[in-house]
Amino acid sequence: MPGENLTRDEARERAALLSVDGYEVSLDLRSAIGEADGGGPRTFRSVTTVRFRCAEPGASSFADLIAPSVTAVSLNGRDLDPGEVFDGTRILLEDLAADNELVVDARCAYSRTGEGMHRFVDPEDGEVYLYTQYEPADSRRVFANFEQPDLKAPFRFEVRAPEGWTVWSNGTGELADGVWRFAETKPISTYITCVVAGPYHYVTDTYTRTFPDGSTLEIPLGAMCRKGLAPHFDADDVFLVTKQGLDFFHDHVDYPYPFGKYDQAFVPEYNLGAMENPGLVTFREEFIFRGKVTRASYESRANVILHEMAHMWFGDLVTMEWWDDLWLKESFADFMGTFSLVGATRFTDGWITFANRRKAWAYRADQLPSTHPITADIRDLQDAKLNFDGITYAKGASVLKQLVAYVGQDAFLEGARRYFKRHAYGNTRLGDLLSVLEETSGRDMTAWSRAWLQTAGVNSLTPQVLLGAEGRVDELAIVQEAAESHPELRPHRVAVGLYRRSGDGALERYARAEADVDGARTVVAELAGAEAPELVLVNDDDLTYCKIRFDETSLATLREHLGALTDPLARALCWSALWNMTRDALLPARHFVDLVLRFAGRESDIGVLQMLHAWAESALVHYAAPAWRETGGALLAEGARRELEGAEPGGEQQLAWARFFARVASAPGDLQLLQDLLSGTAAVEGLDVDQELRWAFLEPLAAHGVADEKALAEELARDDTASGKRHQVRCLAARPSAEVKAQCWAQVVESDALSNALVEATISGFARASQRELLAPYAEKYFAVIERVWTERSIQIGMDVVRGLFPALQDSQATLDATDAWLAAHEDAAPALRRLVLESRDDLARALRGQACDAAAG
């Protein structure tokens, strides 16, 4: 990644100097099909005209472009020598006038890493599909520009494409004389411009909204995917959620959708979940389900649709000035995604998923050495790329949920309305949002912001219960603690729930009080005199962001009666707290596994159940004492098989248990059952072994040496699709062979021939928990190559390799020492690279502490 970075200081200096009036971008994508030119990268022609003003005539600046070559550059009618002004990433602009016109004619490269103009060839039918992905700074791989969020401008795109293709961009388009021409956009940032082109399957609909004044808004809707996925594309449900979301946001933000049409493209080999390009949102095509999935998958897709829709206002209409305030769009979109999901769609339990899944992501990120305040210190683009994390998204959303409780929902939404109207098509900082919230709530936001947005770390809240002589609560207090590295004790608005068993054994809440926790110890006076509880839940209803702890009585109750807890949100909060205790080496991993085996079968929320499966597997792989792993694995497989065979035939619990059973199966009898289910010689009543489930069964068979290369080739012949190819590559990499592992390593580390999706699949198959000895030689190799990989490869592939190939399965003090030695010897390595290694080191150290805790329980 040499020369590709941009610092915050450079961006600020350029923003103070330049104002951009508009772009005209002409792309010739006809080279996407046919044979590539020569031996270099496949390229396309990109011609950009930029009109901009300079506050200091005579000054110098630069434009951004990453391209193999530049044919011509002209500035204000003067032809410049590309060899002199273009260095591969920047175009030098000297002696600027007050009003300027820059024209750049370049050859840009198609991408195979999901960055820039990604080109995908469908193995099923040979069709070529293109799409762009830019955030935070990859539009410069497609056209010359000023690549920073605060230099907004209108854009006009025109595209020449192969005959028979359709092209989409942010604005509406028309084909005339072989050229697709698109309407000029509103002023937007470079990173949310977009082009999608190819023989996509395209479905349309219309959203209509009538406002109180009698005016009407009509939004053309579109949804697209590869032709091979068309038989599986449930566009009707995508449109249903889209219309429900548009209704919700129009009801609440009082600012009509400002970007004309609303297309949604489900594209192949996508690195992210989705991207909020105005008028043309892109999604990973895995949100089109080729087989049976649980309700949780549909909920997840709906949440992502609504998250991206929230960005139309939070991020696209009003955009952060620099990536320091990334939270101004991502935290809001994460919160509003769930807020609208619960308020507008059939997924009314969305806050349970948020508490159980999204906050788990935040809790992990907030305990890493790289944790940062929600308003982060982003020095450059590499920092920005890594800050799309659990703090910016899920912690930020959690804090906004707390803010709504603090200022009130009406004041919060009115603040958002004023924010949009005041800053439409502009850029903002933290203070701009706080000022409108102070106006609408009447509260001083300074202290709240300092505590919640400008400090890092997560607090833990523990109940202290003192009982009187008559067995009633004499005093109930909440003790707040913080890590030494981040000692801030924050104000929390919490609900405290008291639970006990009723006559039928159900564990139910009988008392609740809200309190403002402030400082190290807070007494909840309202609960004095209540009958003695069996369980105290200190963040009942999930109002704040904290780690929940339990007193001894509460923990003992959960060990015996967790499954009797009737409220699904309270149950999800308890599971989350127990998992945090396991990660913090306060609860032995074998005890967590035991809780899952005894109570997960009674879990009614399918999303929580699937999260428990993931946590149980992680507990076994990372936190269980090595001597207990074999026993624990057998127990999990036995329990999963029992639940699979006892689940309601055809139900989603059955499907979830089938997938979990495949992940933990290792005994010969269990592997034989998977083989028999694949061949049809055995069956579980109601279980449809569709193509996606077939691959899920084949992966453990490959990893344990039962399914060989021939069997995987036969399965690919049965499913000769892009999805099938990814599955096959993953299964091939999972085989227990030294030769296979060496080949995988070479393909990922020593070559850039694989696309981003196949790199991801290969890494996923390579690292198998059952193959620790086989993978041992790669620990030393990892530390020898990561700096070179980071330097030579794109940042996305670099992140995939550095994270995915870290020797986490070599969980020993020796690996920890080797990591420390690399860090000590590479203090001058790229900060983003060091951050990734430090995060993996922390995960490993945490795993070793967990293993010690588990061993002590044996």
Side-chain angles (χ1 to χ4, degrees), residues 235-397:
D236 287 348
D237 192 53
V238 171
F239 288 138
L240 172 64
V241 173
T242 301
K243 292 176 182 179
Q244 290 170 331
L246 287 169
D247 272 339
F248 183 90
F249 284 104
H250 283 119
D251 286 341
H252 288 82
V253 303
D254 192 31
Y255 197 109
Y257 173 71
F259 298 111
K261 68 182 180 69
Y262 201 90
D263 282 324
Q264 296 175 98
F266 294 80
V267 298
E269 298 191 325
Y270 203 56
N271 289 322
L272 311 177
M275 184 64 206
E276 67 269 18
N277 315 302
L280 182 52
V281 182
T282 42
F283 298 83
R284 64 187 300 121
E285 68 178 16
E286 285 78 2
F287 283 123
I288 298 173
F289 307 120
R290 299 197 315 149
K292 183 178 179 181
V293 296
T294 67
R295 176 183 171 89
S297 294
Y298 289 100
E299 179 186 328
S300 175
R301 181 176 70 183
N303 184 272
V304 174
I305 289 172
L306 296 170
H307 175 114
E308 304 309 320
M309 187 178 292
H311 275 310
M312 299 300 116
W313 292 269
F314 294 98
D316 293 358
L317 178 65
V318 182
T319 310
M320 69 276 157
E321 186 175 293
W322 176 250
W323 302 102
D324 291 348
D325 283 310
L326 177 62
W327 81 282
L328 280 174
K329 73 182 188 77
E330 294 301 349
S331 298
F332 272 88
D334 221 44
F335 169 76
M336 294 298 292
T338 302
F339 185 47
S340 57
L341 183 79
V342 172
T345 76
R346 65 189 184 272
F347 303 107
T348 54
D349 289 334
W351 287 120
I352 296 176
T353 305
F354 181 85
N356 190 246
R357 184 178 294 270
R358 299 299 284 180
K359 290 181 93 168
W361 181 29
Y363 293 143
R364 174 188 176 271
D366 214 5
Q367 296 174 87
L368 290 170
S370 57
T371 187
H372 55 85
I374 293 171
T375 54
D377 179 24
I378 304 298
R379 297 160 295 185
D380 54 33
L381 290 177
Q382 288 193 15
D383 278 357
K385 183 76 171 178
L386 267 62
N387 260 46
F388 289 82
D389 59 14
I391 295 170
T392 302
Y393 284 71
K395 180 181 179 180

Side-chain angles (χ1 to χ4, degrees), residues 108-136:
C108 294
Y110 294 101
S111 167
R112 300 192 70 232
T113 65
E115 300 154 297
M117 179 69 73
H118 188 79
R119 178 179 180 271
F120 173 78
V121 182
D122 193 331
E124 187 173 0
D125 55 18
E127 296 280 17
V128 176
Y129 295 88
L130 305 179
Y131 64 86
T132 60
Q133 170 57 36
Y134 298 149
E135 191 173 42

Side-chain angles (χ1 to χ4, degrees), residues 24-103:
E24 295 176 6
V25 180
S26 177
L27 305 175
D28 189 342
L29 303 179
R30 290 174 292 184
S31 58
I33 63 174
E35 295 297 321
D37 299 333
R42 182 186 291 265
T43 62
F44 58 93
R45 188 182 183 194
S46 169
V47 180
T48 306
T49 301
V50 194
R51 296 178 304 281
F52 63 98
R53 285 164 285 133
C54 178
E56 299 176 15
S60 298
S61 189
F62 62 93
D64 301 296
L65 176 68
I66 298 175
S69 65
V70 171
T71 306
V73 180
S74 71
L75 177 63
N76 300 328
R78 306 191 322 267
D79 290 334
L80 307 180
D81 183 348
E84 292 182 2
V85 299
F86 178 60
D87 65 2
T89 62
R90 296 181 178 186
I91 300 169
L92 177 62
L93 306 175
E94 295 181 306
D95 193 21
L96 293 171
D99 294 286
N100 301 273
E101 182 178 272
L102 171 68
V103 181

Side-chain angles (χ1 to χ4, degrees), residues 551-601:
D551 63 305
E552 291 184 8
T553 299
S554 297
L555 185 56
T557 298
L558 291 174
R559 288 181 186 275
E560 298 301 323
H561 306 292
L562 175 54
L565 193 56
T566 56
D567 182 79
L569 177 56
R571 202 166 56 242
L573 291 170
C574 289
W575 277 118
S576 177
L578 292 166
W579 175 241
N580 278 321
M581 291 175 65
T582 305
R583 293 189 72 249
D584 290 345
L586 299 175
L587 181 71
R590 66 189 67 193
H591 292 181
F592 184 83
V593 169
D594 177 65
L595 287 166
V596 170
L597 288 171
R598 287 193 291 127
F599 299 124

